[in-house]
Amino acid sequence: MEDGYPGTALHTFLRALQVLGRLEAMIKAMAMENDVLGMELVREQLPQRVRTSRGGKPRVGRSAAAKEGTADGTDELEGF
């Protein structure tokens, strides 16, 4: 590890940090909140909001067939 051998396992470095009392500092340094570039890349991969051509919110309502379902206005599936 001291010679910089590239095949040294990560757990070996982490164990050395634990023995030296520096493991918490490594955990803080590796936190995603501290990785500005990584967070920006994640934000770019998030899906974008879909907007209608009018620019307004899409209307969600019952169709005419659903409105005609019952004459007295009660729901057929009441209680579910």
Side-chain angles (χ1 to χ4, degrees), residues 4-79:
Y5 176 68
T8 305
L10 180 61
H11 68 85
T12 305
F13 285 111
L14 295 176
R15 181 58 131 171
L17 289 172
Q18 182 182 21
V19 169
L20 296 173
R22 303 293 297 165
L23 185 59
E24 284 298 319
M26 181 66 167
I27 290 172
K28 288 179 183 177
M30 292 177 59
M32 275 186 35
E33 297 83 25
N34 297 335
D35 186 8
V36 178
L37 177 62
M39 292 300 285
E40 186 62 33
L41 292 173
V42 168
R43 281 189 199 104
E44 288 178 5
Q45 293 178 353
L46 289 174
Q48 300 297 316
R49 290 184 64 179
V50 177
R51 304 206 186 255
T52 62
S53 59
R54 295 189 321 243
K57 291 183 179 178
R59 293 183 180 206
V60 178
R62 296 176 60 183
S63 66
K67 289 180 182 176
E68 295 174 4
T70 58
D72 62 354
T74 60
D75 190 7
E76 291 177 18
L77 299 175
E78 190 173 312

